[in-house]
Amino acid sequence: MSIRIKLLLSYIAMIIIPIIFCGITIMLISFALFGDNRIMRSFIDIDHQTTVRNTEDEDDIFSRLKVLSSYTPKQIEDEMFLKKTDQELNKNQAGLLIRKNERLIYVSPYFEQYSFEKFLPPFEGKGQIEDLGFKIEDVYFYYKQFDYYDVNNNAVSIIVIEHISPIEEMARKYFVLFVVTLVIGLIVTNGIMTYYMSRSIIKPLRSLKLATERIQRGDLDFQVIPHKHDEIGELSLSFEEMRCRLKESVEVQVQYERNRKELLSNISHDLRTPIMAIKGYVQGIKEGVARTPEQLNKYLTIIYNKVFDMDQLINELFLFSKLDLKEEPFQLEQVEIYQYLADCIEELQLELQDKGITIGWEAQLKTTIFVICDREKLRRVIMNVIWNSVKYMDKESGFIGIHMSVNSEFVTIEIKDNGMGIEAEALPHIFERLYRGDHSRNSNTGGSGIGLSIAHHIISQHGGKIWVTSEKGKGTTLSFTLRRIDQEEGENS
């Protein structure tokens, strides 16, 4: 039997069994109150099933009588009118009573077997009152009463009486008992169904849970064997297939996790410093440390620069993450590399001159050489490398030289600076994410530490290579290659 059918049967049982419990309770209450099954007979009585009470009609009639009491009070004492109105109320199992000076002048024939004089509420003056009513011979009545004085200053009460059926009476009186019975029925039914379902569903699910816990602990050396041919059996087969695939990829996944933890740790380190600086300057502004407009402008400028640095760091981290996951799209096209590099250098030249740094450019051949690359990504590589060099060189006598050479398959581009150089033990780690030498972790140089990692990713996905040579105190040279295409092919395209 499939789980769907089992669940369907259990749902049906959970509906029927509580209803049976409630039915038994109603019968017991009926015998306890009346000595017979009067309540049950009242419930299934044809009149009760076919008679539909319309409380809106009853309210309309009562409202109409109140209006008549103000504008045509004599009509309230017209017996023909009262009988006609009472017949309309009888359709809704209600009746009309008119009381004048504490004496009933009209009693609905619908309730003629009852004596209301001792049970009706007293005259309250002018206004409307309503209540659950009163009880006569173990029968409950609901009433609405409107009191007023007629033109002769007689105290007149318009009363609409409504008989409350045994079902309503019992529901009002034993509502809590019904709820308790229903809850008990649900508890018993759920207990039985839970026990039944546990044998066919929960037990194999518990086995899958234990298998999940073993996977959670890193234990993949086991096998999940399905024991049934239902939906859970199919789930077990899928789980076993998942376990096998997970076992094959777990080593790669662990390595990814290790890299991400390291990345998060480094990110928190790089973000903490500017955040603390921003916090300090904002606190200084709040406490009035910046007393003059010049000081305030200085503080705001520093805050802006810190926020700008954080924004750049976040953008680089976002790009690095997409490159690392191979989700960053590359728009590869044929590019004439000589003119492309000339344009990049021209763009940088003025800005570097303002910093006191000279940039030199030489090519092996001033000719047309085509490569396959993404223009924006290659520009990011060149910018990252050059600005990384700028951070670690003397700004008064800094020099950056760019050299291009060509062979049959690749174009090699070298970017050399006369900065402080890189220690030998640091060179193997230079392209690792967020790796920076200790000297770079200060407020003067800063940097995100992933610029060269981004460059490494981009060049690798272009099918080229990137490497660094450096000597402490004598500068650094970063080189990378791009795959070239034949000149004729580039011109034809």
Side-chain angles (χ1 to χ4, degrees), residues 384-417:
N384 283 2
V385 172
I386 291 178
W387 287 115
N388 189 73
S389 297
V390 170
K391 292 181 192 128
Y392 310 120
M393 66 169 55
D394 188 345
K395 301 300 188 295
E396 295 181 358
S397 58
F399 175 80
I400 297 176
I402 301 177
H403 174 77
M404 184 181 79
S405 59
V406 181
N407 60 28
S408 60
E409 296 184 6
F410 294 96
V411 173
T412 302
I413 299 170
E414 298 177 353
I415 302 175
K416 183 177 181 179
D417 64 60

Side-chain angles (χ1 to χ4, degrees), residues 3-13:
I3 295 177
R4 181 180 298 178
I5 296 177
K6 292 178 182 178
L7 291 174
L8 179 61
L9 293 177
S10 66
Y11 291 152
I12 293 173

Side-chain angles (χ1 to χ4, degrees), residues 52-64 85 88-89 91-92 94 144 160:
V52 178
R53 293 173 52 209
N54 193 332
T55 56
E56 293 183 0
D57 290 346
E58 183 179 325
D59 292 338
D60 290 342
I61 295 171
F62 188 69
S63 299
R64 190 168 68 234
T85 303
E88 294 181 35
L89 289 171
K91 296 177 182 179
N92 296 307
K144 293 181 183 178
V160 173

Side-chain angles (χ1 to χ4, degrees), residues 173-368:
K173 190 172 183 180
Y174 298 99
F175 175 77
V176 175
L177 182 59
F178 291 151
V179 173
V180 171
T181 303
L182 184 60
V183 170
I184 292 174
L186 288 173
I187 292 174
V188 172
T189 306
N190 273 282
I192 296 173
M193 292 298 103
T194 300
Y195 174 76
Y196 169 73
M197 297 300 289
S198 65
R199 298 180 60 185
S200 58
I201 297 179
I202 298 179
K203 186 175 179 180
L205 287 179
R206 186 178 292 117
S207 298
L208 287 176
K209 179 178 179 294
L210 294 175
T212 303
E213 292 175 351
R214 295 184 66 176
I215 292 178
Q216 187 178 8
R217 293 193 298 267
D219 180 12
L220 297 172
D221 297 322
F222 64 93
Q223 186 176 5
V224 178
I225 302 175
H227 298 286
K228 293 183 177 294
H229 300 288
D230 54 12
E231 291 87 344
I232 295 183
E234 296 175 359
L235 176 62
S236 298
L237 289 173
S238 299
F239 191 92
E240 174 62 15
E241 182 180 355
M242 179 198 70
R243 184 197 65 83
C244 293
R245 293 187 179 183
L246 185 60
K247 186 176 180 180
E248 294 174 358
S249 61
V250 66
E251 292 183 358
V252 176
Q253 189 67 29
V254 169
Q255 183 62 39
Y256 272 127
E257 186 65 23
R258 185 182 299 114
N259 291 340
R260 293 191 185 283
K261 287 181 179 180
E262 180 184 356
L263 181 63
L264 288 174
S265 176
N266 292 330
I267 289 172
S268 64
H269 181 282
D270 285 328
L271 290 178
R272 186 181 296 113
T273 301
I275 288 175
M276 292 302 296
I278 292 171
K279 182 179 178 181
Y281 284 110
V282 171
Q283 187 68 26
I285 293 174
K286 290 179 62 178
E287 294 177 357
V289 176
R291 301 179 183 277
T292 65
E294 292 78 9
Q295 290 178 325
L296 180 60
N297 183 64
K298 178 181 177 181
Y299 276 35
L300 292 176
T301 300
I302 295 173
I303 292 172
Y304 174 81
N305 290 335
K306 296 294 182 182
V307 172
F308 181 78
D309 291 342
M310 291 173 62
D311 183 60
Q312 283 190 315
L313 173 60
I314 292 171
N315 288 336
E316 288 192 342
L317 288 170
F318 182 68
L319 174 60
F320 177 80
S321 177
K322 294 179 70 176
L323 289 170
D324 193 32
L325 297 174
K326 301 187 186 305
E327 294 180 354
E328 177 69 14
F330 278 69
Q331 303 295 330
L332 297 177
E333 57 181 311
Q334 297 175 358
V335 176
E336 202 289 298
I337 190 61
Y338 182 88
Q339 186 60 46
Y340 178 84
L341 291 174
D343 292 341
C344 290
I345 292 168
E346 183 180 358
E347 179 182 346
L348 284 166
Q349 201 159 19
L350 290 177
E351 191 169 356
L352 291 177
Q353 285 178 355
D354 292 340
K355 296 180 177 293
I357 298 173
T358 304
I359 185 168
W361 158 236
E362 58 176 317
Q364 188 183 55
L365 295 173
K366 293 184 178 181
T367 185
T368 302

